[in-house]
Amino acid sequence: AGKRAFIAGVADDNGYGWAIAKSLAAAGAEILVGTWVPALNIFESSLIRGKFDESCILPDGSLMEITKVYPLDAVYDCPKDVPEDEVVESVKKDFGGIDILVHSLANGPEEVAGSVKKDFGSIDILVHSLANGPEVSKPLLETSRNGYLAALSASSYSFVSLLKHFAPIMNPGGASISLTYIASERIIPGYGGGMSSAKAALESDTQVLAFEVGRKHKIRVNTISAGPLRSRAAKAIGFIDMMIDYSLANAPLQKELSAEEVGNAAAFLASPLSSAITGAVVYVDNGLNAMGVGV
Ligand code: NAI
């Protein structure tokens, strides 16, 4: 209770980011979110129109409140990186108690961390729940250099950049969490475009960053290797139903993974209950990672 979380990568109520926000809210945290600029208007209007009201209901019957939504583009670090035609005027809306900065001059992690600092002073929990690989549907062998680098930029370096800029405003004892996928370490045909490489980088960086921010800021860094979920991003890859069926058939626990189960694991990793866990890849996948063969 009394903790403040910034969750990067929430643009609807279907993904892991939303579920993590709910689990953290249920545990008493204040919720700030970072939403990708191209998805911001739809997310904002859906929030305002009450489209997510039902999805906001917490286990105790109360409603999750999102204190503030920040526009975020995690492929830009600072204002000078933002292309001219993506720079938009700052407009502030206040609607139904939700304070939304519709657009800002720049939306990179440096700018957003600066805004959060100005608005709230500090945070305790940083969640990275975002990924993007423009060539994800292409095999690695067919992936262009630009596609590969774009996957790494949006899905791996984005975490380095967020942590770099948020760590100085995180209270000691704070925690950061990202989401990864087993395609980093095992062959998952169809998870292409350099996304498997991006997740491998994210997992390796989890260790190095755990050391660096552990020593410097007393902050923990962990990543959740999540099983398949029918999110917007996953549907775009095109093989999500197959992955869910495969898990149902082969995992030790034969049930569909709910986003809430990942949310609850994230709440644990963000809480003092996990105060000695850092630099870890934590599997939340019904145990599928432990299987050596399909059955
Ligand atoms: P999602 O669609 O809910 O979340 C992805 C978010 O990333 C979206 O909100 C999108 O707007 C945002 N985003 C993309 N590029 C961005 C950028 N440049 N700057 C800021 N935001 C950007 O989908 P999902 O699946 O919940 O993804 C969340 C995380 O979970 C990702 O890291 C994903 O790789 C990971 N994951 C998902 C699995 C699944 O089966 N859905 C399995 C294992 C990991």
Side-chain angles (χ1 to χ4, degrees):
K3 300 247 170 92
R4 185 178 296 116
F6 181 85
I7 302 154
V10 181
D12 59 41
D13 58 350
N14 293 318
Y16 282 133
W18 179 272
I20 292 169
K22 280 185 75 173
S23 293
L24 292 174
E30 177 175 20
I31 305 299
L32 313 176
V33 307
T35 301
W36 195 24
V37 178
L40 188 67
N41 281 337
I42 290 182
F43 182 58
E44 167 208 39
S45 59
S46 301
L47 268 179
I48 290 167
R49 281 189 286 108
K51 201 184 150 226
F52 301 136
D53 282 1
E54 224 172 282
S55 307
C56 284
I57 302 173
L58 299 175
D60 71 352
S62 67
L63 294 182
M64 169 170 73
E65 274 183 50
I66 297 176
T67 306
K68 189 158 179 174
V69 178
Y70 292 86
L72 170 71
D73 198 321
V75 299
Y76 306 129
D77 299 308
C78 57
K80 70 170 174 29
D81 296 341
V82 183
E84 194 83 351
D85 60 349
E86 289 185 31
V87 174
V88 263
E89 277 302 299
S90 172
V91 186
K92 210 170 177 198
K93 276 195 186 175
D94 212 335
F95 204 104
I98 308 167
D99 188 10
I100 296 173
L101 187 65
V102 176
H103 286 302
S104 69
L105 208 58
N107 316 290
E110 179 184 317
E111 194 74 3
V112 176
S115 302
V116 171
K117 182 181 181 185
K118 197 160 73 140
D119 294 340
F120 298 98
S122 67
I123 64 165
D124 303 283
I125 301 159
L126 173 68
V127 178
H128 175 283
S129 181
L130 63 96
N132 201 2
E135 298 182 15
V136 65
S137 54
K138 289 189 192 165
L140 186 55
L141 207 50
E142 314 293 329
T143 299
S144 71
R145 183 183 300 271
N146 278 343
Y148 184 96
L149 293 176
L152 270 286
S153 172
S155 314
S156 317
Y157 189 76
S158 56
F159 181 63
V160 179
S161 182
L162 274 168
L163 189 59
K164 171 181 176 169
H165 292 107
F166 274 92
I169 66 161
M170 288 177 74
N171 296 315
S176 66
I177 299 153
S178 66
L179 274 299
T180 187
Y181 185 48
I182 195 165
S184 59
E185 45 173 327
R186 299 276 185 269
I187 302 164
I188 309 281
Y191 198 74
M195 279 307 300
S196 56
S197 329
K199 291 307 192 189
L202 183 67
E203 290 174 24
S204 178
D205 295 347
T206 297
Q207 298 183 316
V208 177
L209 294 170
F211 174 74
E212 293 181 3
V213 299
R215 291 293 174 94
K216 194 166 177 197
H217 298 284
K218 297 188 168 62
I219 293 167
R220 295 181 295 110
V221 185
N222 294 294
T223 188
I224 293 174
S225 186
L229 174 76
R230 218 176 267 101
S231 65
R232 190 188 166 94
K235 280 191 276 190
I237 301 171
F239 68 175
I240 188 66
D241 291 315
M242 201 183 94
M243 286 304 159
I244 290 172
D245 291 345
Y246 182 87
S247 182
L248 271 174
N250 296 293
L253 300 175
Q254 290 189 290
K255 59 180 173 61
E256 192 160 326
L257 181 69
S258 74
E260 189 185 354
E261 293 175 292
V262 169
N264 290 341
F268 162 70
L269 288 173
S271 83
L273 292 174
S274 63
S275 57
I277 303 177
T278 192
V281 178
V282 176
Y283 295 91
V284 184
D285 65 348
N286 285 321
L288 185 64
N289 72 91
M291 297 298 295
V293 288
V295 286

